Amino acid sequence: MKYLKSNLLNIYIYCCMILFLYLFLTYVRMLTTEEWIAVVLVAIIAAVFELRPILLPNGEDLTFISPLLLIVGIQYGFFPILVTILFFCIVIVSRNFQAWKPISFNGIQYALSAIVALHTYVFVGGKIGSIDLSHVLSYSLFIIIYHFTNLFLVNIYIYTRERVTISLDIRSIGVYFTLMTFAILITKIIEVEGAVGIILFSVVLMGLSIVYRTYYKMYDDFKTLSIKDGLTGLYNHRFFQQKLEEVIVEQQDVALLLLDIDYFKIYNDKFGHPKGDILLKDVSDLLLRMTPADGFACRYGGEEFSIILPTCKTEDALILAEKIRESISTESFHGVEELPNQKVTVSIGVSAFPYLAQTKENLIKGADTALYHVKNTVKNRVELFNPYENEGIS
């Protein structure tokens, strides 16, 4: 089956390549100096943003290939689109020759989408090289047809390879339509200014990319500061409360671990707060390494930590808690010889929603009750909350 899928995928890619070659030979013509300047600049800009896309706050990569092809197509016609993509692919492949096939397909599906969209644009009365901003229908159809053709071609590729499809995303569509509308306005400027307009547009776009990258980096930094603990790098207490509320509102099964470092006051009194901070950071690093990919390690407060484990069975949570306890107790932290038992240990309380608690507050209270039962007795142990011994909590 895997061999068959690989063959079908190769057939599809080569069919797209043959179609691209056919269109290239069909539309081939001499390009003017202005068209060459436009093609080369647009190909370079598109390649730069493909290699270093701007990461938007919603996680999407912002590239400019689609609006750039709109500009080239409406201003210069069919053949410049194909030449632009050819140069675009050459630049990208030169950076990663081993991936030439998917890179080529990626460029070709952009080109095919633009050719289909440009045919529609011309069919409804749009004129290549003459921009009439009052002709809303032709521009709108270009944008819509391009998007759906692109989605269709990519879905065939993904379905052939993985037997899944991608669907429309409202946020992505919003960004797409904004960029395409901006491209139409830029096309009008290029029509008036010619090659000078293309160069000016390239400079402005590069400048904007620097501004956007700086802005989104600042956005990411502020976002990280708002949800991360400055000392340990773990999620902070605010994030802990929000995330736990979120998974419970979604009625997900969730296990909760609350951890407390045993004898931490003794450690702080002996070595001072700077060394205590280092111990907190070292323990946090270990928790980060041991927390599953879908889990969330948080600093609950002081020397207390929490781990949220969505969709985790209680038995698995207990196994993980025991592994964490054992790993910390066998780690060679600074100054362990001065502590009772000559090692750093943690006490851990475990609870689970909805089996042992039915609300967020009681889930936290249950894990906290189990934790402090251990703290006040033997320490260095994992304990599961028992609602039958604490009937007022569940």
Side-chain angles (χ1 to χ4, degrees):
M1 180 61 71
K2 185 177 180 181
Y3 179 74
L4 177 61
K5 284 200 296 185
S6 177
N7 280 343
L8 289 174
L9 190 61
N10 283 329
I11 291 171
Y12 176 61
I13 291 174
Y14 289 131
C15 284
C16 290
M17 289 180 177
I18 292 170
L19 181 56
F20 178 86
L21 180 60
Y22 169 78
L23 292 171
F24 194 92
L25 295 175
T26 300
Y27 293 116
V28 65
R29 64 174 175 81
M30 292 293 293
L31 298 181
T32 65
T33 301
E34 180 183 322
E35 287 174 331
W36 275 115
I37 293 173
V39 164
V40 172
L41 283 177
V42 166
I44 291 173
I45 294 170
V48 167
F49 283 100
E50 191 74 14
L51 292 169
R52 291 192 64 225
I54 297 173
L55 184 64
L56 296 173
N58 64 1
E60 296 279 344
D61 284 342
L62 178 61
T63 62
F64 287 97
I65 184 66
S66 298
L68 289 170
L69 288 180
L70 181 148
I71 292 171
V72 170
I74 291 179
Q75 184 65 33
Y76 301 111
F78 296 96
F79 186 57
I81 288 176
L82 300 171
V83 178
T84 299
I85 288 298
L86 184 62
F87 277 116
F88 168 79
C89 289
I90 290 172
V91 174
I92 303 295
V93 169
S94 69
R95 299 293 300 273
N96 185 10
F97 183 75
Q98 292 181 336
W100 71 271
K101 193 183 296 183
I103 290 172
S104 298
F105 170 78
N106 189 44
I108 288 170
Q109 56 90 8
Y110 283 132
L112 297 179
S113 301
I115 293 294
V116 173
L118 190 57
H119 270 292
T120 307
Y121 168 82
V122 173
F123 179 77
V124 296
K127 293 182 180 180
I128 294 173
S130 178
I131 312 303
D132 182 0
L133 296 180
S134 66
H135 208 305
V136 177
L137 177 62
S138 58
Y139 300 117
S140 299
L141 282 177
F142 184 104
I143 294 171
I144 294 169
I145 295 299
Y146 177 94
H147 182 74
F148 280 100
T149 304
N150 182 270
L151 189 66
F152 175 73
L153 293 172
V154 172
N155 264 321
I156 294 176
Y157 179 88
I158 292 176
Y159 185 79
T160 305
R161 188 180 66 180
E162 301 176 6
R163 290 294 184 269
V164 296
T165 59
I166 57 174
S167 56
L168 295 173
D169 179 77
I170 299 299
R171 292 178 300 182
S172 299
I173 292 174
V175 172
Y176 167 76
F177 273 91
T178 301
L179 288 176
M180 295 299 261
T181 303
F182 173 70
I184 292 170
L185 298 176
I186 293 299
T187 305
K188 185 63 179 177
I189 295 174
I190 293 174
E191 180 192 18
V192 175
E193 299 295 336
V196 175
I198 298 168
I199 295 171
L200 180 62
F201 168 65
S202 303
V203 172
V204 171
L205 195 56
M206 288 299 183
L208 284 174
S209 73
I210 295 172
V211 173
Y212 279 135
R213 289 184 201 282
T214 304
Y215 168 76
Y216 287 126
K217 184 180 184 303
M218 290 173 58
Y219 176 90
D220 286 338
D221 289 344
F222 281 123
K223 183 178 179 182
T224 298
L225 287 172
S226 71
I227 64 174
K228 292 291 185 74
D229 176 65
L231 172 64
T232 63
L234 301 181
Y235 291 110
N236 58 25
H237 187 84
R238 176 169 171 250
F239 176 89
F240 164 79
Q241 295 287 349
Q242 291 176 342
K243 178 56 64 174
L244 198 59
E245 179 75 29
E246 179 183 309
V247 294
I248 288 178
V249 166
E250 293 173 358
Q251 293 297 303
Q252 294 184 33
D253 293 349
V254 56
L256 175 64
L257 277 56
L258 286 185
L259 306 82
D260 187 276
I261 300 177
D262 299 324
Y263 304 112
F264 184 72
K265 185 177 185 305
I266 293 176
Y267 190 94
N268 254 352
D269 292 343
K270 179 68 179 178
F271 299 106
H273 290 288
K275 289 293 184 182
D277 287 347
I278 293 174
L279 177 61
L280 290 173
K281 183 68 171 66
D282 290 342
V283 170
S284 300
D285 290 342
L286 189 147
L287 293 180
L288 279 173
R289 292 196 302 271
M290 299 193 69
T291 300
D294 61 345
F296 303 92
C298 311
R299 187 179 182 188
Y300 192 75
E303 68 272 23
E304 292 187 19
F305 305 91
S306 60
I307 300 178
I308 301 171
L309 299 169
T311 68
C312 182
K313 296 180 180 178
T314 306
E315 297 81 5
D316 295 332
L318 288 170
I319 292 171
L320 175 63
E322 184 57 35
K323 287 180 179 178
I324 291 173
R325 185 202 64 78
E326 185 176 353
S327 295
I328 291 175
S329 67
T330 57
E331 188 77 16
S332 298
F333 297 107
H334 170 76
V336 292
E337 65 279 356
E338 300 294 333
L339 293 175
N341 303 318
Q342 297 188 332
K343 57 186 177 182
V344 173
T345 61
V346 292
S347 299
I348 305 177
V350 182
S351 189
F353 172 89
Y355 305 109
L356 302 177
Q358 283 70 55
T359 66
K360 182 190 81 170
E361 291 73 18
N362 286 339
L363 177 62
I364 297 171
K365 191 177 295 184
D368 193 57
T369 298
L371 167 63
Y372 278 91
H373 182 260
V374 176
K375 291 285 293 183
N376 294 325
T377 52
V378 295
K379 295 184 173 58
N380 188 27
R381 196 179 74 187
V382 175
E383 180 166 313
L384 178 66
F385 171 63
N386 187 341
Y388 301 106
E389 293 180 358
N390 303 269
E391 295 184 5
I393 294 178
S394 63

